[in-house]
Amino acid sequence: MENLINYIQSRVPLTQNYIDLIKKYFVSEEVPAQTNFLKAGKVERYIYFLDTGIVKGYQNIDGKIIVQHLVAEQDFFTSLDSFMTETPSLDYYETVTESRVLKISKPDFDILQKETEFWAIFVKEVTNEHLSCKLERVKDFQILTAKERYLKFVNQYPKLALNVSIDNIASFLGMEPQSLSRIRKQVAF
């Protein structure tokens, strides 16, 4: 819980009362590796804070797995559209490694939204951060070579680069695993 509180406090000031509410509404859960949090077609009922571990978010498009999210420790994840609109998700979320998450349900999320000042500010801040990352990722796909995208990924997320399979990294970076293997060999020399 300490990592979550520190994460929130780095973006908005918290009173002891707010900290108590966070502790009340977030539930800790240990999750084994390769466990599905969400399957496409199901409604997402939680927002998760990844305390420890690695999670991937993907879609299955015509039988091909397209990794859209590789979530590192100390960050939030969910199928946001499904969570907010309470409609079936197109996404799958699965642990890559053994993980610990802190999760908040939609009803508890709504309570914090209505009864506190900090929560709406915090959610807006995190949403804007995630949107900026998505926009940067789109720009990277437009202007960087595959090798440049991989080198940027390794520099930004060294733990993910070491602990996520080459297939998942390649999918996340928009290339075939064979191409990524060639790039990794070039970089190693």
Side-chain angles (χ1 to χ4, degrees):
M1 194 68 68
E2 184 179 324
N3 289 329
L4 172 62
I5 291 166
N6 290 338
Y7 183 93
I8 295 171
Q9 279 183 319
S10 72
R11 287 151 180 84
V12 294
L14 293 176
T15 65
Q16 185 58 50
N17 183 45
Y18 290 162
I19 291 170
D20 294 341
L21 287 172
I22 292 165
K23 289 179 179 179
K24 176 181 176 182
Y25 291 124
F26 276 86
V27 177
S28 180
E29 183 178 344
E30 300 287 333
V31 187
Q34 284 78 50
T35 299
N36 281 312
F37 277 98
L38 176 67
K39 293 182 179 180
K42 303 289 184 189
V43 175
E44 178 60 86
R45 302 286 182 203
Y46 296 94
I47 287 182
Y48 304 91
F49 178 78
L50 184 60
D51 194 32
T52 61
I54 299 171
V55 169
K56 70 177 177 179
Y58 61 94
Q59 290 187 357
N60 185 335
I61 300 174
D62 298 327
K64 183 173 181 174
I65 302 299
I66 308 295
V67 177
Q68 297 169 318
H69 308 281
L70 288 173
V71 184
E73 294 177 345
Q74 321 293 289
D75 205 356
F76 280 90
F77 69 95
T78 191
S79 179
L80 190 59
D81 190 45
S82 177
F83 179 82
M84 297 305 280
T85 62
E86 299 184 34
T87 57
S89 174
L90 299 174
D91 305 312
Y92 294 83
Y93 276 90
E94 177 184 309
T95 54
V96 173
T97 63
E98 186 175 303
S99 302
R100 181 176 46 251
V101 297
L102 300 164
K103 63 184 184 177
I104 185 168
S105 68
K106 178 79 165 104
D108 291 341
F109 178 94
D110 291 340
I111 289 170
L112 282 179
Q113 190 88 347
K114 289 177 189 163
E115 296 184 4
T116 69
E117 294 137 22
F118 85 94
W119 191 247
I121 296 166
F122 172 71
V123 168
K124 181 179 178 185
E125 182 85 18
V126 170
T127 302
N128 286 340
E129 286 174 20
H130 283 215
L131 181 57
S132 279
C133 286
K134 285 191 180 294
L135 292 173
E136 182 177 348
R137 189 158 175 241
V138 168
K139 185 178 83 175
D140 288 351
F141 273 97
Q142 293 172 332
I143 64 171
L144 299 180
T145 66
K147 183 177 181 179
E148 290 169 333
R149 287 195 309 272
Y150 175 67
L151 290 172
K152 183 175 181 178
F153 174 80
V154 169
N155 287 328
Q156 284 185 322
Y157 306 105
K159 186 174 180 182
L160 293 178
L162 291 173
N163 293 295
V164 175
S165 74
I166 193 167
D167 289 349
N168 286 328
I169 293 171
S171 178
F172 180 72
L173 295 175
M175 62 184 83
E176 292 299 319
Q178 303 86 332
S179 299
L180 181 55
S181 289
R182 280 192 300 277
I183 290 168
R184 288 171 64 159
K185 286 178 186 172
Q186 291 172 3
V187 171
F189 292 104

